[in-house]
Amino acid sequence: MNVKSLQSHHTHYASLGSPWSAKADKVQSITGILLGCFLLAHLHFESSILLGKEAFYHVVQFLEGGMFSSTGHGFPMVTKLFSIFILIVVMLHALVALRRFPAQLGQWRALRRHMSGINHKDSHAWFWQLVTGFILFFLAPVHIFTMITNPEIGPHLSAERVYHANAWLLYALLLPAVVIHAMIGLYRVAVKWGLTANRAGLRKVAKVLIVYLISIGLLSLISYILIGRELSLPITPFVP
């Protein structure tokens, strides 16, 4: 290794050990926990469509503050504002996470060689979190911007977005990437901050959650597609 490489490595590891790096780790963990918990809630709220249109309608009205409206109808502005908040959290999370992202093709090749030569489950988990994070860098903002610009939610309105606007393709790619990234992220946060010493058990929980969340997400997506196929344009919002 030449002098230039040694200096580069020294600068890299010195930056990782700086006070800024420690603060960035905390910010990354906090924002990751927020986003992971939001995903758990979001997929379960969305899956209420599996119980029928009326069930999903009432969930939406509750989340949008329908109890504070004289008509019982929620306020779409709540979805818009919360989407803006989630976008800010996502941007902050990505900003502090990018400092550990391989920026050059040679670094990716070195990482692949390293991964093929070891059998360490946490290293493989980190690699898949890296890959899914790269995918989410492009897909997640598209979904969030859609919710900011068009916050109207409902059985028919959401089905229109999924089926008639062909958003199903985005969601089919986004769903596995975000679930895998989030569950591995929550696992790594728990291990990193010493919340558990049972890594094997926690890995099993993470795998079960990944399969479970992707399953309910896909079933919900299929439900929206089936509903959308039965609707004709222009869409009339669902009212029980």
Side-chain angles (χ1 to χ4, degrees):
M1 184 178 290
N2 56 36
V3 174
K4 185 176 181 180
S5 297
L6 284 171
Q7 290 175 338
S8 175
H9 280 266
H10 175 74
T11 301
H12 173 68
Y13 289 113
S15 64
L16 291 180
S18 67
W20 152 246
S21 181
K23 293 179 181 178
D25 277 345
K26 291 181 180 179
V27 171
Q28 184 176 348
S29 296
I30 293 171
T31 54
I33 291 173
L34 284 174
L35 293 173
C37 292
F38 165 72
L39 178 68
L40 286 168
H42 179 57
L43 288 178
H44 283 92
F45 290 142
E46 287 288 345
S47 68
S48 63
I49 192 65
L50 300 176
L51 301 177
K53 294 181 183 180
E54 189 170 344
F56 180 63
Y57 173 87
H58 287 299
V59 167
V60 171
Q61 303 317 311
F62 172 76
L63 294 176
E64 291 186 340
M67 72 286 291
F68 301 110
S69 170
S70 59
T71 61
H73 193 277
F75 304 95
M77 181 59 67
V78 174
T79 297
K80 182 189 286 285
L81 293 176
F82 191 75
S83 297
I84 293 173
F85 168 74
I86 290 296
L87 179 61
I88 293 173
V89 177
V90 167
M91 292 173 61
L92 183 58
H93 183 74
L95 180 64
V96 294
L98 280 174
R99 75 195 197 282
R100 299 186 183 276
F101 203 85
Q104 300 176 354
L105 181 60
Q107 292 175 328
W108 275 104
R109 289 173 176 171
L111 178 60
R112 287 298 300 163
R113 287 195 300 269
H114 174 71
M115 297 298 300
S116 63
I118 65 172
N119 186 25
H120 189 263
K121 288 182 171 54
D122 280 9
S123 296
H124 286 273
W126 176 80
F127 173 77
W128 283 111
Q129 194 182 26
L130 198 67
V131 172
T132 53
F134 180 77
I135 295 173
L136 292 176
F137 186 81
F138 298 97
L139 298 184
V142 177
H143 173 53
I144 299 174
F145 275 124
T146 299
M147 300 311 302
I148 293 174
T149 58
N150 184 19
E152 294 285 345
I153 302 174
H156 289 178
L157 296 173
S158 297
E160 177 190 17
R161 181 183 294 115
V162 170
Y163 182 75
H164 291 282
N166 295 315
W168 65 268
L169 180 58
L170 170 66
Y171 296 150
L173 297 173
L174 179 63
L175 176 64
V178 71
V179 169
I180 292 172
H181 186 83
M183 294 305 103
I184 292 178
L186 291 177
Y187 161 78
R188 295 186 66 235
V189 167
V191 171
K192 180 182 181 66
W193 299 105
L195 301 180
T196 180
N198 186 7
R199 296 194 179 197
L202 195 58
R203 277 196 297 267
K204 291 180 181 179
V205 172
K207 290 177 182 178
V208 170
L209 283 174
I210 287 173
V211 173
Y212 165 69
L213 293 174
I214 291 178
S215 296
I216 65 171
L218 286 176
L219 289 174
S220 301
L221 184 59
I222 292 172
S223 295
Y224 289 120
I225 292 174
L226 294 176
I227 293 172
R229 289 177 60 183
E230 298 175 351
L231 299 175
S232 57
L233 298 176
I235 299 296
T236 301
F238 174 83
V239 178

